[in-house]
Amino acid sequence: MTSPRVVIIGAGIVGTNLADELTARGWDQVTVLDQGPLPLTGGSSSHAPGLVFQTNPSKTMAEFARYTVEKFLDLDVDGAWCFNQVGGLEVATTPERLADLHRRQGWATSWGIPGEVVSPEECVRLHPLLDAEQVLGGLHTPTDGLARAARAVVALARRAQSRGAVFRGSTRVTGIAQAGGRVTGVQTDQGEIPADVVVSCAGFWGPAVGEMVGMAVPLLPLAHQYVRTGQVAALAGGADEAVEARLPILRHQDQDLYYREHADRLGIGSYSHRPMPVSLSGLDEDGEITAAAMPSMLPFTEEDFAPAWEQSRLLLPSLRTAKIDTGFNGVFSFTPDGGPLIGESPDVAGFWIAEAVWVTHSAGVARAVAQLLVDGRSEIDLHGCDVHRFEEVQLAPGYVHETAQQNFVEVYDILHPLDPKLSPRDLRVSPFHARQKELGAVFLEAAGWERPHWYEANAPLVDQLPDAWRPPARDAWSAKFHSPIAAAEAWRTREGVALYDMTPLKRLEITGPGAVGLLDRLTTGKMDKSVGSVTYTLALDDAGGVRSDLTVARLGVDRFQVGANGNLDLDHFQREAGDDVQVRDSTGGTCCIGVWGPLARDLVQPLTSDDFSHEGLKYFRGRSAHISGVPVTALRLSYVGELGWEIYTSAEYGQRLWDVLWAAGQPLGVIAAGRAAFNSLRIEKGYRSWGHDMTTEHNPYEAGLGFAVRPGEYTGSAALAGISDETVTRRLSTLTVDDGTSVVLGHEPVYLDGAPAGYVTSAAFGHTVGRPIAYAWLPAAAVPGTPVEIAYFDRRIAGTVAPDVLVDPEMARIRR
Ligand code: FAD
Ligand code: THG
């Protein structure tokens, strides 16, 4: 059997890694093209200083980096190294940074990277150029180090060539040949090259290549300053030219700086300057390419470096007698959320991109893309990397321009998980927005939506909280972007009734004669049920990994409303849909209020002549109705685990719907409640949040979702054969915190018998149960009652594995 013909655009570190990974999997018809000469093409990889710090809040990114280290350690060019494992040292010069290094150490532990927070003395021992007076401590990660990208490119190209790959330099791709919605090849300034699959690994040129197939590639090229000093006396007699470096790579994040040795000189990278966006059209791509002159290197602007130089001389006093020798403003890619961009064009099958990737993550990304192409799925979860994760509004050039620059500015900032974007805001607001503002909503942003997290109007309720509901004080970090008002909102949801704005929940409308078939094929549910049925179901990948969890409401024979988790669901369903079914994003133009709480029926029934009784509209059923004359669709389900409905209407009725519910609810004490309470209530109820608690890396049984797997044949069903709750070796477990007060936030490592055994996914204070709760991936042997410890900054917090569902496991509150 012959493998597909693949053309890779770009022979940088990503393209060559991909050629290596594909040929390693037996794909032997791989051609790599670059507009520049080989091997020094003039792209970002040609000059990258190659620092590899593996620690990252994202598990996926950390695993990509780990693989890059592992792979590059085994590469050489005629005996010359491609990875120099000098270790990494991130130093703190402020107490906030020192605390954050402990948090980073937690991420490293969660993702399996050894690392330790060390004293100032140890920092100086590891890196003698440091001024002990400046440093409060450091995070030492012994497996970090230097990747020699320009050399690794040669090693990888040679290996790929030995397996049949062809590399062609000085060949510019000018267009993508296509027929019938598929790629057929690439057009170049040297003629057309046929291909079944084209992967653009064009780095910051990605948007230009994407444009050739009309694909938005949301990255912005930005310049970033890098200098080499002249000789540094203190480095004399250290690493020779071949070894290059002996001291750990160094990060001084409080000043947005990093350092590495170049034998007896130091290289300094700075993010402390103004963001400098680069226009592709202004680059000289036709000049001669040398190590000192290439399109990705712009002239050094010394004045931008001045503060960085001053700060460097404070941290590293031996620089006071050294000079800046050379410098340049190097160009590479930034994206709206800092993640890379991986995926296939929605319009032109076979056209893929893998861009906005650091050297650090290059081998991991390339392996994932090779797996996607060869096996149809990546073993590592890619939801934070998928180019289709963005909403339409996030692809606007102005949005990319602004948010990518913010990512440049914030690259080393200490960011709280809830840290809100300050701009752009108010991109998407629900029809209830004016009312929410009147109630003092505190908004955070997600997917462009403004989402109330709590309402200041509920502040007086905090004083009325019964003792059992009074939340304990929080530490400063977990108190950020939080309010005790959330406790009051949770209380009133459990004991009264509350309105939740569910408008931002992604909704798909799936219609046509093929709708049932499509849903039956792509989900674990049986969809040919009566009109009015609502099904909680899973979309799996071929290996049985959870792509998404969905609610599917059959609103008509050929009409379904799917409650989804994001744009990846839309992309997936649209791609899979045949001609007999239409998949449309119906989120915009509609809205939804969750009316939940024991008094929900007392609120809604008097407003309608339609039957909202327990028998008239059963649990997990939906119907159309009028509420005070507003045409609605009501689905009886509740992510917060209370009696009530998601009530949908089209946008123009939204404010009226809010107003009638609000007015009628006054005698019942109705409140508006926000995401903070919502998240706490859903965790107490045992409900998972896709992307946080489970991903394609987990099967339904591991995730505690085996109940949603029905017999039958659908994508992923074969892979689940033989798997059950009894066979799994790891599980998403519910933990409670023993001291009743210490709230964790997610991604913290969990220890069993003193050894790291898993990590927290999502967490919240459980207001109903009066203690903090965390979900964590743990070995299945950790049954309820098992003691655990959660690392939180420099503390270990004692916890206990609890039953999966802490509130109303018998469903008495919902089913009545
Ligand atoms: P590139 O290396 O840019 O390769 C893309 C290739 O595509 C180019 O060779 C280009 O010629 C080719 N191409 C584009 N368009 C076409 C076309 N139409 N036809 C044919 N060929 C085309 N990362 C780290 O991990 N650690 C670091 O310490 C680090 N430091 C950095 C310091 C500086 C100053 C800079 C600028 C970047 C740094 N980076 C670092 C980032 C890193 O260099 C890049 O993210 C990485 O090299 C990108 O690799 P790539 O293969 O995607 O892109
Ligand atoms: N509402 C709607 N769609 C959604 C969500 C939602 N889609 C995405 C996400 N949230 C899906 N998550 C859940 C999780 C749990 C439940 C509903 C959506 C739920 N589970 C019942 C249970 O586990 O007890 C299912 C019982 C059953 O299968 O009968 O209610 O919030 N529209």
Side-chain angles (χ1 to χ4, degrees), residues 151-240:
R151 192 182 289 148
V153 159
V154 173
L156 293 164
R158 282 189 189 172
R159 192 155 82 182
Q161 279 164 329
S162 75
R163 302 182 192 121
V166 174
F167 280 70
R168 287 175 57 174
S170 307
T171 305
R172 174 165 298 149
V173 173
T174 53
I176 308 298
Q178 37 183 305
R182 277 209 63 86
V183 289
T184 58
V186 297
Q187 289 135 6
T188 79
D189 53 6
Q190 320 277 318
E192 186 163 326
I193 301 173
D196 307 304
V197 175
V198 173
V199 189
S200 179
C201 303
F204 66 78
W205 284 274
V209 179
E211 211 167 273
M212 297 175 192
V213 295
M215 182 174 181
V217 178
L219 69 77
L220 181 71
L222 285 167
H224 152 60
Q225 291 197 301
Y226 191 76
V227 308
R228 285 178 186 230
T229 67
Q231 284 178 335
V232 178
L235 291 175
D240 63 25

Side-chain angles (χ1 to χ4, degrees), residues 286-589:
D286 301 316
E288 198 198 344
I289 290 174
T290 69
M294 50 178 90
S296 62
M297 287 170 88
L298 300 178
F300 188 52
T301 49
E302 195 165 358
E303 63 284 6
D304 290 308
F305 195 75
W309 183 234
E310 198 173 315
Q311 290 298 335
S312 297
R313 291 155 69 127
L314 273 179
L315 184 75
L316 308 167
S318 37
L319 290 183
R320 289 174 198 165
T321 54
K323 290 200 176 62
I324 297 175
D325 185 21
T326 57
F328 62 98
N329 295 357
V331 185
F332 73 116
S333 309
F334 281 79
T335 58
D337 58 8
L341 305 175
I342 297 174
E344 186 180 12
S345 155
D347 306 313
V348 183
F351 179 87
W352 291 74
I353 66 168
E355 285 155 349
V357 179
W358 290 23
V359 172
T360 301
H361 310 112
S362 57
V365 166
R367 178 177 63 174
V369 174
Q371 289 175 344
L372 283 171
L373 293 175
V374 176
D375 310 330
R377 108 181 254 279
S378 148
E379 66 189 299
I380 291 182
D381 156 46
L382 295 182
H383 83 274
C385 307
D386 193 314
V387 63
H388 303 297
R389 68 188 178 275
F390 298 104
E391 294 284 315
E392 216 178 332
V393 70
Q394 298 174 309
L395 298 174
Y399 182 91
V400 176
H401 197 76
E402 180 170 0
T403 55
Q405 291 186 64
Q406 273 164 17
N407 263 295
F408 175 90
V409 172
E410 293 175 354
V411 69
Y412 286 163
D413 286 3
I414 299 170
L415 295 175
H416 190 277
L418 291 172
D419 231 323
K421 248 191 209 38
L422 298 176
S423 171
R425 291 292 296 269
D426 287 343
L427 293 176
R428 309 173 91 179
V429 298
S430 81
F432 326 126
H433 192 67
R435 299 297 179 252
Q436 292 169 341
K437 279 171 77 167
E438 287 161 19
L439 294 171
V442 174
F443 295 98
L444 300 180
E445 178 269 349
W449 285 102
E450 294 298 327
R451 303 191 306 181
H453 274 241
W454 65 86
Y455 293 83
E456 290 295 332
N458 293 326
L461 296 176
V462 176
D463 293 331
Q464 299 170 28
L465 276 171
D467 281 346
W469 286 85
R470 237 165 246 289
R474 294 187 173 210
D475 71 292
W477 183 253
S478 69
K480 276 185 106 173
F481 310 111
H482 184 80
S483 165
I485 294 171
E489 294 177 1
W491 169 54
R492 293 298 280 267
T493 306
R494 291 269 186 252
E495 302 205 340
V497 57
L499 306 184
Y500 286 84
D501 182 0
M502 297 292 285
T503 305
L505 176 88
K506 187 86 165 178
R507 289 179 288 291
L508 315 183
E509 182 189 79
I510 302 190
T511 50
V516 176
L518 180 75
L519 286 160
D520 266 336
R521 178 163 64 82
L522 296 184
T523 75
T524 60
K526 190 177 142 344
M527 292 306 163
D528 203 2
K529 300 197 284 199
S530 60
V531 171
S533 65
V534 181
T535 309
Y536 174 72
T537 189
L538 308 174
L540 304 180
D541 66 18
D542 286 321
V546 182
R547 289 188 83 110
S548 192
D549 67 336
L550 308 160
T551 59
V552 179
R554 188 168 204 177
L555 302 180
V557 175
D558 290 343
R559 188 162 62 90
F560 292 83
Q561 175 179 311
V562 175
N565 285 296
N567 211 57
L568 296 185
D569 297 315
L570 175 67
D571 178 62
H572 178 53
F573 277 91
Q574 281 185 334
R575 245 173 236 282
E576 294 285 339
D579 292 339
D580 56 351
V581 47
Q582 291 79 47
V583 178
R584 193 176 74 85
D585 182 349
S586 57
T587 316

